[in-house]
Structures are given as C-alpha cells and as structure tokens.
Amino acid sequence: YRLIDTAKLYGNEADVGVAVRGSGVPREDVFVTTKLWNSDHGYGNAIRACEESLDRMKMDYVDLYLIHWPVRGPRVETWNALVDLHRAGKCRAIGVSNYMRGHLEELRGSPVVPAVNQIEFSPFLYQRDVREYCRQRGIVVEAYSPLTRGMKLNDRRVRVIATKYGKSSAQILLRWGLQRGLVVIPKSARPDHIRENVNVFDFEIAEEDMRALDGLSHGLHVSWDPT
C-alpha cells in the first residue's frame, strides 16, 4: 500500500507523519491525502488549516488536499485558497470530497479543475450521474466505503458471485469499483483483511456479473448524504 488517506477530523495526522518517516519508504513513493474540515472554510482559514496539517505531519507538502464536505458558506472562497496552496507547492494536487453535481458546478469558473472527487460509492450506491459528470471534466472519482462498512458483505447476491470466482465478497466489491473506473480506498484494522483487500488484480469480473452488481444500487448511504 502506498496511498494513505487521512484528515484533520480523524485526529491521526501526526501518527501518519511518524509512520511515513519510520517506514523506510522514500517520501516521494508514498501518496498522502488529507482534508480540510468543515470549520475551516473561508480563504484565510483554509490556508491556515493546510499549514497546520502539514505541521502536524511534519511534511513539506501533501500529495492531495481535499475539501472534506460541501458545507454551506464560502465554498468558492475555500477552493480559491486551495488553488493558491497548490501554486505554492503545499499540495501536489487539490480536490473535493462528497461533492455532488451542483457543488461541482460552483467551481466551473475556476482555472483549476478538482483533480479528485472522493465520494461514497459501491454497487449499493452507484452514483452514475456524478461519475459521468466527473468523467466529462477529467475529475478522478475516488470511492470511499466501497465495502459498505461491512453492512453488505453477507448479501446473498454478492456471495454467489464471490463463490463463482473463488474470492471473498470484499474482493468482489473492490474489483467492481476498479472495473468501473474508480480509485477504491478500503479501510480495515485487521492485517488479514488488509492483505485480502489488495489481492484483487488476478481476476476480472465478467460483464454479465458486473451488470448484476450494478443492479444492486438502491441509494444505500453508510455515511451522511451530502445531497
């Protein structure tokens, strides 16, 4: 694993910095994402929040800095701050999280298009419209909670497909996301699950099974619904 997804909200930025420095892996070979929290919107607040995150991690830059949620208020002003942080080299790339189409439309006047939109995405929450909008604008869609926080790992329809390929339900959900063009970021605290989650590159789900998984979507949110 070379991508680490953290945020001010998670309270572990300092731990991430310690881990990266102690890993023996060169900093340029690790992709670190962190996020601006809701209380830090506004130009000056956003600049300060990013600098404080870097200070906690003891890093000169992050690879990706995201607006965590599209809260009401000065969202465009906040985005302008991220553009300037990017120009200053504090962030290698900037993006947003939990932005739906209307939120993204607010940024159309900016000279910088978000590199990433990190949203909740799984076969049970197949957000086609947002994905298509992002595809048209060159925005990478990054899927969080691709495993539905475990809520649907025992779904009979997923288990049937998993058995067909000799894989776990988690591996089927992750592979579905990859084949639908997403960057998937699963989370686990268990080493055996962490190893299992990365073992998804030795098989491909047939299109008929992909369509069956597509059909599971029914608007299941395991996080707050940004709409």
Side-chain angles (χ1 to χ4, degrees), residues 38 69-72 98 120 144 149 221-227:
N38 299 351
W69 289 94
V71 297
R72 295 183 187 277
N98 298 296
E120 185 180 345
Y144 75 80
R149 293 186 180 174
H221 282 271
V222 299
S223 186
W224 180 59
D225 181 352
T227 63

Side-chain angles (χ1 to χ4, degrees), residues 11 22 28 51 62 67 69 71 83 117 150 152 176 178 197-198 222:
E28 61 270 20
E51 291 174 345
V62 288
I67 297 175
W69 289 94
V71 297
V83 169
N117 185 18
K152 292 294 186 178
W176 174 87
L178 292 171
N197 289 345
V198 82
V222 299

Side-chain angles (χ1 to χ4, degrees), residues 36-48 67-83 96 99 103 106-107:
L36 174 136
W37 185 235
N38 299 351
S39 57
D40 295 319
H41 275 260
Y43 185 90
N45 289 339
I47 297 290
R48 183 167 53 253
I67 297 175
H68 207 150
W69 289 94
V71 297
R72 295 183 187 277
R75 290 194 290 253
V76 174
E77 185 181 329
T78 301
W79 179 251
N80 290 338
L82 265 63
V83 169
V96 294
Y99 269 49
H103 306 126
E106 294 177 349
L107 306 180

Side-chain angles (χ1 to χ4, degrees), residues 147 186-195 197:
L147 303 181
K187 183 183 80 169
S188 178
R190 291 178 49 177
D192 56 333
H193 285 171
I194 292 169
R195 285 189 290 269
N197 289 345

Side-chain angles (χ1 to χ4, degrees), residues 36-202:
L36 174 136
W37 185 235
N38 299 351
S39 57
D40 295 319
H41 275 260
Y43 185 90
N45 289 339
I47 297 290
R48 183 167 53 253
C50 180
E51 291 174 345
E52 288 173 351
S53 288
L54 291 173
D55 184 62
R56 282 189 289 270
M57 292 188 287
K58 293 182 170 49
M59 293 180 179
D60 296 326
Y61 67 92
V62 288
D63 298 277
L64 177 63
Y65 195 50
L66 302 177
I67 297 175
H68 207 150
W69 289 94
V71 297
R72 295 183 187 277
R75 290 194 290 253
V76 174
E77 185 181 329
T78 301
W79 179 251
N80 290 338
L82 265 63
V83 169
D84 286 346
L85 286 164
H86 178 244
R87 288 171 176 160
K90 302 290 186 180
C91 323
R92 294 288 177 89
I94 54 175
V96 294
S97 182
N98 298 296
Y99 269 49
M100 300 294 100
R101 183 168 184 149
H103 306 126
L104 292 166
E105 280 287 326
E106 294 177 349
L107 306 180
R108 285 188 70 92
S110 173
V112 179
V113 176
V116 168
N117 185 18
Q118 186 185 112
I119 57 176
E120 185 180 345
F121 212 113
S122 76
F124 300 91
L125 183 65
Y126 189 3
Q127 303 201 66
R128 289 177 174 85
D129 58 336
V130 181
R131 189 194 67 166
E132 178 59 21
Y133 181 89
C134 289
R135 186 193 67 78
Q136 292 174 0
R137 299 211 63 211
I139 302 170
V140 172
V141 175
E142 188 172 43
Y144 75 80
S145 296
L147 303 181
T148 67
R149 293 186 180 174
M151 287 178 58
K152 292 294 186 178
L153 292 182
N154 289 318
D155 184 279
R156 181 188 58 81
R157 296 158 297 181
V158 177
R159 290 173 63 186
V160 166
I161 294 174
T163 299
K164 177 178 178 180
Y165 292 91
K167 292 292 184 177
S168 69
S169 293
Q171 289 169 323
I172 292 298
L173 295 181
L174 294 175
R175 184 68 204 182
W176 174 87
L178 292 171
Q179 289 184 215
R180 286 292 177 245
L182 310 172
V183 173
V184 292
I185 47 171
K187 183 183 80 169
S188 178
R190 291 178 49 177
D192 56 333
H193 285 171
I194 292 169
R195 285 189 290 269
E196 177 185 297
N197 289 345
V198 82
N199 187 25
V200 292
F201 298 100
D202 59 350

